[in-house]
Amino acid sequence: MGLSRLAALHGVATSYSPSPDVTVSVPDDTVIAVLAALGVDAGTPADVRKCLAAAESRSRLLPPTVVVWAGDPLPPALAALPPGSTVTVEPEPSGAPGHPAGRPPAPLSMRARAAAPAAPVASPGESAPEAVPAPEAPPAPGEAPAWWIPPPHGVHRVHVRTPDNRRATATLVAAPPRVPQPPEGTHGFLVQLYSLLSARSWGMGDLGDLADLAVWAGRSVGSGFVQVNPLHAAVPGKPTDPSPYRPSSRRFPDPVHLHVESVPEYGHVRDRAALDDLRQDAAALSEAVLNKGALIDRDAVWELKRQALELVVQVPLTPGRRADYCDFLAEQGQALENHALWCALAEVHGPDWHTWPEALRDPRSPGTARARSELLDRVDFHCRLAWLTATQLAAAQRAAEDAGMGVGIVHDLAVGVHPAGADTWSQQEAFAHGMSVGAPPDAFNARGQDWGLPPWRPDVLAATGYAAYRGLLRGLLAHAGALRIDHVMGLFRLWWVPEGRPPTDGTYVAYDAEAMLAVLVLEAHRAGTSVVGEDLGTVAPGVREALARRGVLGTSVLWFERDWEGDGRPLAPEKWRRDCLATATTHDLPSTAARLTGDHVTLRHRLGLLTRSLEEELTADLTDTAEWLALLARLRMLPEGDGDEEAAVRAVHRFLLRTPARMTGVWLPDTVGDRRPQNLPGTWDQYPNWRLPIADPEGHPVTLEEITASPRLHALMEVLRPRKPHTAPPGERRP
């Protein structure tokens, strides 16, 4: 009982429900291990009693972080302050990252009372006056008391002093009520950028290809967005982990995505012969992928680009470019310097910082400071690459907007980072070491999942005012039209798996969802971006409702949208939710053509991934597909009749357009009939995950130029073309 109470105080679950009628107890040793990762010693009953007594005797005036939503009642942490307490809000400095420039606002001072007074605000340059008591009626239900002065949107500090002279200070996140909304009825493409090779690519798709796709899609077929995979920095090494969802850092992008020829200094490199040789090697890489059956080789691409960029950075920057670079360094600050230093140290000592000399494992040690000085040129090189990549990300978003896109580039935020990468080295105190994020056992995976990603510690996030999380979001949103959040349920809770144990021995750890959402909404509001949450799979009660209240769109995939609480049949289009991105598939699922033909079942059979016989799986799959095709036929969306694969793909997208979904996503490989998934969950070396170029139905790779000229694509886009976005009402993004 004591262990359960102690776990509850720290947000650690001692049981979970994989289905409404089933409750599973979490092993005690799992709970003890998770508490230890949170700095709580519960190894013996005596330790539990000691920690429990300390936790229950602790009295805090305020939690470490307090959230205030514009238009919402005062949060309980402030509403419950003793009458007569003085509350002073120290506004966010105007020079803080993400804060609009201007005259710094004066502190807001107010006094909480049972019959609360109005509080005057100090003029700029004056000290804030004390509130003067005045009798008044208590606030109506749902309203803030009159003594409360709502602060401007931002991340402030709140100071409290009670009449008996107790004091407390906390971070105050003042957030708008919702994130900006995309135009209704907008459609766009979903693509894994590496898979999109143009005739000029260096062996994989790049930011030049992304900008080109966006311009074409906006101008030629009226698309409102292009959604890409995470472009986060990868852990270097041979071979590099090809998954974009297990990066070294989520804060900074990977320069492997650079279109090298678009860097202004490229044209002024003196050693043209060396550049020509590198371009020839890059052309050979692309030729091998496009015409010789080779897989995308990220390591080989990066080796060529690195050599080219080594030459490029030797070209002096013009005064204007130098000023821009210096501004970037100042804006990114210590976070960029640490990231670049990790990259430089990884070149010398390998990509896993746990194996580095002990003096270098701490980013704040004297040994690391010496290394920073010794590797100054390499640190600057990696800072320069981060700047160049950021400029091309910005250029892609500008190109999308100039092409008429109402949203533009939708970037993707992975759920976590590699345990050996830059983020875990530079922010060691923020991660729960010895733990991994995953998923509990469910109907689709009886053994659960372990993703190999160390989770953030919720207590450290709260104590630091969510600084790391804020910086991460600010960096991603700077050049985005919208942000997709992978496994958005992680804002509420994550399944922690102790190292060395199976995923079945994990448990849920809760995060302060109000704070996580408030920071997300605030940063999205500042950037003017929409947010899409990937909320597929097991979702705790209330999560989707909380996300919808704050304007975070969900993700609805056609094959999963059934009347699960009724007859289980395909859900009629009018019954779909409005606030979502509706798609036929995702990067983790079969393409629409593979789904319609059953190719995905035979693929899993070849790889030994089926849990039933091939005949049983094919029969179940055929039944599922037939139900959907029958619905499409009843709705007269399949005038061509049965047996026409391309027509069926078009019918699926007609159906998506019939739903009230705000956004409709088209998987770019679907436009040319690609049958191969980009990622096949449950496989590692059995399948070439994250290394396939987009291909036609026969598996022959196709270039960006061939995709955009494809008759099959244009026939599909004719289905989407008639749906025109309306004029956005106030508070929505422009169409």
Side-chain angles (χ1 to χ4, degrees), residues 149-528:
I149 304 174
H153 299 152
V155 181
H156 315 297
R157 298 291 288 170
V158 59
H159 307 278
V160 170
R161 187 180 76 244
T162 65
D164 60 357
N165 211 33
R166 287 181 294 151
R167 298 171 183 266
T169 296
T171 298
L172 179 68
V173 180
R178 289 166 60 85
V179 300
Q181 298 296 286
E184 287 196 42
T186 187
H187 66 77
F189 292 108
L190 320 177
V191 63
Q192 298 282 292
L193 181 56
Y194 59 82
S195 71
L196 181 68
L197 281 74
S198 68
R200 67 182 186 179
S201 299
W202 285 37
M204 62 182 280
D206 58 39
L207 292 172
D209 299 323
L210 175 60
D212 209 34
L213 174 65
V215 170
W216 170 83
R219 291 180 177 169
S220 299
V221 295
S223 296
F225 65 91
V226 174
Q227 177 182 302
V228 296
N229 56 285
L231 304 183
H232 309 321
V235 177
K238 293 186 178 180
T240 297
D241 186 338
S243 173
Y245 291 92
R246 202 163 181 249
S248 168
S249 173
R250 296 186 294 173
R251 175 66 181 81
F252 296 100
D254 198 311
V256 75
H257 300 111
L258 279 169
H259 180 239
V260 179
E261 294 97 323
S262 293
V263 178
E265 290 73 37
Y266 179 89
H268 301 279
V269 171
R270 292 186 177 181
D271 193 347
R272 306 307 301 179
L275 281 184
D276 289 343
D277 288 344
L278 291 171
R279 290 181 63 180
Q280 288 180 11
D281 291 343
L285 277 181
S286 287
E287 171 69 14
V289 172
L290 294 171
N291 295 310
K292 298 181 179 179
L295 298 175
I296 292 170
D297 188 339
R298 182 191 183 105
D299 295 328
V301 172
W302 173 237
E303 179 59 26
L304 295 178
K305 289 191 176 184
R306 183 193 60 76
Q307 293 181 50
L309 291 166
E310 297 274 8
L311 297 172
V312 167
V313 299
Q314 294 176 20
V315 177
L317 296 173
T318 66
R321 294 268 293 164
R322 169 62 62 181
D324 189 35
Y325 178 45
C326 290
D327 286 347
F328 178 80
L329 293 175
E331 180 182 343
Q332 303 302 319
Q334 191 65 49
L336 174 59
E337 188 174 331
N338 285 342
H339 174 73
L341 177 58
W342 182 91
C343 293
L345 288 168
E347 291 176 334
V348 178
H349 301 288
D352 186 350
W353 60 267
H354 299 90
T355 66
W356 293 354
E358 188 171 353
L360 301 177
R361 296 176 197 171
D362 180 354
R364 301 171 186 83
S365 73
T368 301
R370 286 192 297 273
R372 192 185 307 266
S373 177
E374 294 165 356
L375 297 172
L376 193 58
D377 287 345
R378 297 307 297 171
V379 171
D380 182 67
F381 174 69
H382 290 289
C383 286
R384 181 87 70 93
L385 298 189
W387 170 60
L388 293 175
T389 311
T391 60
Q392 290 196 6
L393 287 169
Q397 176 62 14
R398 284 196 303 271
E401 292 175 343
D402 291 346
M405 285 190 164
V407 176
I409 309 302
V410 182
H411 286 281
D412 199 351
L413 172 61
V415 70
V417 294
H418 196 287
D423 282 2
T424 58
W425 176 74
S426 61
Q427 303 169 11
Q428 293 177 38
E429 67 286 346
F431 288 92
H433 300 282
M435 294 288 145
S436 177
V437 174
D442 56 27
F444 300 99
N445 193 328
R447 290 176 289 186
Q449 300 175 57
D450 183 343
W451 302 331
L453 308 169
W456 262 336
R457 285 181 53 165
D459 56 333
V460 174
L461 286 177
T464 56
Y466 295 84
Y469 178 49
R470 286 187 278 129
L472 165 62
L473 290 174
R474 194 172 302 124
L476 282 171
L477 294 170
H479 310 303
L483 180 66
R484 174 192 181 270
I485 300 180
D486 190 42
H487 193 71
V488 72
M489 297 80 79
L491 300 180
F492 296 77
R493 66 180 186 178
L494 284 172
W495 184 257
W496 287 23
V497 181
E499 185 177 338
R501 300 187 188 179
T504 50
D505 284 354
T507 189
Y508 280 114
V509 175
Y511 291 76
D512 185 341
E514 280 290 285
M516 298 288 279
L517 276 174
V519 171
L520 172 64
V521 171
L522 173 64
E523 295 298 339
H525 174 80
R526 285 173 162 174

